[in-house]
Amino acid sequence: MVLYNFKKITVVPSGKDFVDIILSRTQRQTPTVVHKGYAINRIRQFYMRKVKYTQSNFHEKISTILEDFPRLDDIHPFYGELLNHLYDKDHYKLALGQLNTARNLIEKISKDYVRLLKYGDSLYRCKQLKKAALGRMCTVMKRVSPSLAYLEQVRQHMSRLPSIDPNTRTILICGYPNVGKSSFINKITRADVDVQPYAFTTKSLFVGHTDYKYLRWQVIDTPGILDHPLEECNTIEMLSITALAYLRAAVLFVVDLSGSCGYSLAQQASLFHSIRPLFANKPLIIACNKTDLQPIETLPESDALLLQEMKREAAKAGAGLVDGAPPDEEGCLLTMSTMTEEGVIAVKNAACEKLLQQRVEVKMKSKKINDCLNRIHVAVPRQRDQKERPPCIPQAVLDAKVAEAKVLEKRKLEKDLENENGGAGVYSANLHKHYLLLDPDWKEDIMPEIMDGHNIADFIDADILQRLDELEREEEEAAATAQAADEDEDMSDQELTAEETEALLAIRRKKKQILEEHRLKKSTADNKPVMPRKHDHNRQFNTGRMGQHLSSLGLDPGAAVERIRSKSRLGRKRERSAGGGDDYAMDIDQQPTKKMRARSRSLSRPHTEALPGEGYKDSAQKMKAMKIAKKAVKQRNKDARKGEADRVHYNLKPKHLFSGKRGTGKTDRR
């Protein structure tokens, strides 16, 4: 079996980029100067070299792509089936086959035109043959552009696949969606799988690693599976089924006892029985999760019977590991809670222990153990006589061990001191008692704290606590005095008249309205549709709205409205009467004609005027901001950028089209 590192697959360029890369390399790596005065054999060799070099570059680059992509028949069946579900095996093979065909066609084109170039009788004819050869090669590559684009998408997705070793010790977690599979893998490994309170949060395989008995274990989190026929499973569910079918692992079937996942225990038991063939010859554990919401002891009798039936089936699946072994139901049904972490480690240890036992049994039954036994020799000493020789320890050594044990019993350990003085978190160990000083009494001396060359003890006030108490009492007295003054000044609602009460309620309603408008504006962050001004009555600038606003403030709007109307009357143009009589002033209530509206544009508000809610202090600030914004987009518009995030750099001059033989005077740059 060949193991592939999908992250090292060569990047597949598009058809146009492929042609530019190859032709630019040909232009750089082959001679570019030829004269018609050269011998015809030299001219033929010049153009034959270009055709052969281009063909070899195409062959090398296409061969690298074909070799880097894995062959589905050579890799592990798990990866082969996984790639089949993700990318469709037929499309994948078809794209690689088209690339292989393109490589063969380019080689055939090169041979044909090299044969023709051997009979070229002039520079012009040889040049045209070279041009035709390179053009046909590029046409072949452009025709396989869809395959190249498909393979690049496959390469990008394959590079993001998790690194799963099909042969190592593996724990596979499966079950219905939202039963706690991702939470379990997050608890026992360093993986960080997204956990959300809805189904199908996990849409692909996730891998974590944990340790048990000094061995590294691989833990795989699979997407949720629904209980329906295999033909109706989507791509996400097929990832889980593929892992169950092709990986030799300990299977952990997670069950939600509380039903908060959206599926009852009967539905989960039905799924267990429908995918039971996938558990054959694999250690299987049923992990009952969310026991903090629904303890297993309080389950209804029907649900308890379902669990017992699942437990028997799990024992039978494990019994298939050893031929003729009776089903062992111990350890097949465990409870845990990923919320409180109760029983999580026990479930992990049980799964690891079952898989370890199964792997040892398989190795003992294999033929490899016989090869190992042939190379192992256990030496057993031959008994010399029937005399017993018990172990003999000198008495001095025994006395020394007894004395050492008595000393250890008398000496108090740091743990004993901790338990006597309040326990962990309360007891603080004395770090000075082991200091080696001339005078042992110096160990408890207080060390001076020095900052900026001064001893902090010189600046400590001995009466600091007393002074702090006095300051706090003064502050409390001042606060009490201020509160009493405020209570005297405030009037209770009962002392107000009916008009004052109504005014107070109006003020409070207005305050509440302003607060709600501000909160609404703040929560939406201006991310809301804007109503046109002609339909938005709150933004219309007319005398009616101004009068309502002034009336709400308790002011008389009559004088202000008359002043505005008088200015509007003076600004209008007088018209002749229909009978040719004297001029008359148009009545205020008369609707202006379309012609008058067009001519009265000078009286309208300019676009630079600051509107309420735009965030500008005045019109001058708005003008300045508009000027800065216009200056900021000047360079972007000059570069023909679509916006601030436009980072496209167009290759306007491919090297193979704009380099080569240079004219007179182009080389003197010194």
Side-chain angles (χ1 to χ4, degrees):
M1 184 193 66
V2 182
L3 291 177
Y4 282 90
N5 186 359
F6 298 143
K7 293 179 174 58
K8 290 188 177 181
I9 300 177
T10 307
V11 177
V12 182
S14 63
K16 184 178 180 302
D17 293 342
F18 211 117
V19 170
D20 287 348
I21 290 169
I22 299 299
L23 294 186
S24 297
R25 186 182 296 176
T26 302
Q27 188 73 359
R28 292 194 308 270
Q29 303 294 335
T30 56
T32 57
V33 179
V34 65
H35 299 292
K36 60 183 179 180
Y38 288 166
I40 189 63
N41 192 34
R42 184 177 178 183
I43 295 173
R44 291 169 184 165
Q45 291 294 332
F46 176 86
Y47 286 110
M48 286 165 61
R49 179 178 177 181
K50 283 188 174 293
V51 173
K52 289 180 179 178
Y53 187 81
T54 304
Q55 182 268 330
S56 66
N57 280 336
F58 272 119
H59 186 277
E60 177 185 353
K61 200 159 185 65
I62 295 175
S63 299
T64 303
I65 295 172
L66 293 176
E67 291 170 2
D68 284 350
F69 276 94
R71 295 179 179 271
L72 299 184
D73 299 331
D74 295 342
I75 59 178
H76 193 275
F78 165 70
Y79 272 120
E81 195 66 23
L82 187 67
L83 299 182
N84 181 25
H85 289 306
L86 290 175
Y87 318 119
D88 192 344
K89 180 168 59 176
D90 296 335
H91 289 181
Y92 179 77
K93 288 186 175 181
L94 188 62
L96 292 177
Q98 287 179 348
L99 270 189
N100 187 38
T101 304
R103 181 178 63 178
N104 297 335
L105 286 175
I106 289 173
E107 188 174 354
K108 184 176 182 299
I109 290 170
S110 172
K111 287 181 180 179
D112 292 345
Y113 277 89
V114 166
R115 189 180 298 114
L116 291 174
L117 278 168
K118 289 181 180 179
Y119 300 98
D121 54 358
S122 65
L123 185 145
Y124 175 76
R125 184 158 298 177
C126 291
K127 182 178 181 180
Q128 295 303 314
L129 287 171
K130 184 268 300 185
K131 189 175 180 180
L134 268 59
R136 287 188 61 185
M137 293 180 190
C138 296
T139 301
V140 170
M141 286 310 302
K142 288 180 179 177
R143 285 179 179 173
V144 295
S145 292
S147 297
L148 293 173
Y150 169 77
L151 288 175
E152 174 59 15
Q153 293 294 324
V154 170
R155 183 200 68 82
Q156 292 180 8
H157 193 274
M158 288 173 67
S159 66
R160 295 192 292 267
L161 288 178
S163 298
I164 298 176
D165 187 357
N167 300 314
T168 191
R169 296 166 291 273
T170 306
I171 299 174
L172 198 61
I173 311 171
C174 66
Y176 254 102
N178 202 26
V179 295
K181 302 185 295 297
S182 300
S183 302
F184 179 76
I185 192 176
N186 288 344
K187 296 295 182 184
I188 67 171
T189 69
R190 297 183 64 184
D192 187 16
V193 185
D194 187 22
V195 177
Q196 297 293 343
Y198 48 81
F200 285 108
T201 307
T202 304
K203 298 181 181 178
S204 61
L205 300 176
F206 286 90
V207 181
H209 293 86
T210 186
D211 292 329
Y212 178 72
K213 289 190 176 180
Y214 303 103
L215 297 173
R216 179 57 57 91
W217 298 75
Q218 182 177 252
V219 185
I220 301 178
D221 179 23
T222 62
I225 311 173
L226 298 179
D227 186 19
H228 48 62
L230 193 64
E231 297 79 13
E232 299 178 8
C233 293
N234 55 23
T235 304
I236 297 175
E237 294 175 89
M238 288 305 297
L239 297 180
S240 303
I241 295 173
T242 302
L244 284 169
Y246 291 98
L247 290 179
R248 290 167 41 191
V251 180
L252 200 65
F253 189 84
V254 184
V255 176
D256 183 4
L257 295 178
S258 66
S260 59
C261 63
Y263 306 97
S264 64
L265 191 58
Q267 291 175 303
Q268 299 177 59
S270 175
L271 172 66
F272 176 82
H273 293 301
S274 63
I275 63 174
R276 187 177 55 189
L278 299 176
F279 303 147
N281 298 328
K282 293 176 184 175
L284 177 60
I285 292 179
I286 301 172
C288 300
N289 192 20
K290 303 185 183 179
T291 53
D292 54 332
L293 300 178
Q294 176 66 59
I296 194 171
E297 296 82 7
T298 60
L299 279 176
E301 186 177 355
S302 58
D303 292 346
L305 291 176
L306 290 175
L307 277 180
Q308 290 300 323
E309 186 180 356
M310 293 169 64
K311 182 178 179 181
R312 285 193 295 272
E313 295 295 338
K316 290 180 183 178
L321 301 173
V322 184
D323 295 336
D328 184 12
E329 298 185 6
E330 184 179 357
C332 292
L333 182 67
L334 299 175
T335 59
M336 66 176 182
S337 172
T338 53
M339 177 65 72
T340 61
E341 300 187 15
E342 180 183 355
V344 171
I345 301 301
V347 171
K348 183 200 83 168
N349 293 344
C352 294
E353 192 63 39
K354 277 182 172 290
L355 181 61
L356 201 60
Q357 182 181 356
Q358 180 248 356
R359 288 171 69 92
V360 171
E361 291 172 354
V362 170
K363 287 180 181 178
M364 292 296 292
K365 288 166 52 178
S366 66
K367 296 181 180 180
K368 292 183 179 180
I369 190 67
N370 297 327
D371 299 336
C372 296
L373 289 176
N374 293 335
R375 297 194 297 269
I376 296 175
H377 173 67
V378 180
V380 180
R382 186 180 300 171
Q383 190 173 2
R384 185 172 57 186
D385 51 29
Q386 301 299 326
K387 186 178 179 180
E388 293 185 2
R389 293 178 174 84
C392 180
I393 302 175
Q395 188 62 34
V397 175
L398 293 175
D399 296 341
K401 286 187 175 182
V402 171
E404 185 179 356
K406 290 181 179 180
V407 171
L408 290 175
E409 287 178 2
K410 291 181 181 179
R411 189 177 63 185
K412 279 192 175 182
L413 300 179
E414 199 70 30
K415 187 71 175 177
D416 301 331
L417 294 174
E418 179 183 335
N419 294 333
E420 292 175 2
N421 295 278
V426 178
Y427 171 72
S428 180
N430 186 5
L431 303 178
H432 303 163
K433 61 183 179 182
H434 297 299
Y435 284 2
L436 301 176
L437 303 176
L438 293 176
D439 187 355
D441 296 336
W442 293 350
K443 293 180 182 180
E444 304 301 329
D445 288 352
I446 298 175
M447 294 185 181
E449 298 182 28
I450 307 299
M451 186 176 68
D452 298 334
H454 301 286
N455 190 351
I456 294 178
D458 296 339
F459 300 91
I460 293 178
D461 190 353
D463 302 331
I464 185 67
L465 297 177
Q466 181 181 355
R467 297 187 181 183
L468 282 174
D469 293 338
E470 294 176 359
L471 185 59
E472 288 178 358
R473 281 198 299 271
E474 291 179 3
E475 290 180 352
E476 290 176 358
E477 292 175 0
T481 305
Q483 185 177 1
D486 292 340
E487 289 177 355
D488 293 340
E489 292 178 1
D490 291 343
M491 296 177 60
S492 62
D493 294 348
Q494 298 177 357
E495 299 176 0
L496 298 177
T497 62
E499 296 180 356
E500 291 173 343
T501 304
E502 186 178 353
L504 180 60
L505 292 176
I507 292 171
R508 288 175 178 172
R509 281 197 300 269
K510 187 66 176 178
K511 275 187 174 183
K512 187 176 180 181
Q513 180 183 358
I514 293 172
L515 280 174
E516 289 178 353
E517 290 178 356
H518 176 69
R519 286 170 182 164
L520 181 63
K521 188 184 299 183
K522 188 175 180 181
S523 63
T524 56
D526 292 335
N527 186 18
K528 57 183 183 298
V530 179
M531 184 181 294
R533 184 176 297 158
K534 66 178 183 178
H535 299 297
D536 190 357
H537 301 292
N538 294 327
R539 295 180 63 192
Q540 289 180 354
F541 289 87
N542 51 25
T543 55
R545 182 189 170 198
M546 184 181 71
Q548 293 175 3
H549 180 63
L550 292 176
S551 300
S552 65
L553 296 177
L555 301 176
D556 184 13
V561 171
E562 285 297 327
R563 186 167 64 252
I564 293 297
R565 287 182 174 176
S566 62
K567 288 185 178 181
S568 176
R569 187 181 295 113
L570 291 173
R572 293 174 182 164
K573 188 173 181 181
R574 298 168 65 87
E575 292 185 355
R576 305 289 290 180
S577 62
D582 296 333
D583 297 343
Y584 71 99
M586 189 178 67
D587 189 72
I588 298 300
D589 299 330
Q590 183 180 348
Q591 293 293 332
T593 61
K594 185 176 181 182
K595 184 177 181 180
M596 286 190 60
R597 285 199 298 269
R599 292 189 178 182
S600 63
R601 189 178 301 163
S602 58
L603 296 178
S604 64
R605 177 175 42 79
H607 70 283
T608 57
E609 183 177 343
L611 295 175
E614 285 186 337
Y616 299 109
K617 182 174 64 176
D618 50 18
S619 298
Q621 190 182 34
K622 183 176 180 180
M623 286 283 291
K624 185 177 180 180
M626 291 171 62
K627 187 175 181 181
I628 294 173
K630 187 176 180 180
K631 186 177 180 181
V633 300
K634 185 176 181 181
Q635 185 62 35
R636 190 183 75 198
N637 295 339
K638 187 177 180 181
D639 296 337
R641 301 285 182 189
K642 295 179 181 178
E644 294 180 357
D646 191 355
R647 299 287 186 272
V648 179
H649 297 279
Y650 297 99
N651 185 14
L652 299 178
K653 291 188 176 183
K655 194 173 184 65
H656 67 277
L657 296 179
F658 295 93
S659 62
K661 183 179 177 182
R662 292 172 291 186
T664 307
K666 295 290 185 179
T667 57
D668 188 10
R669 293 191 176 88
R670 294 186 237 173

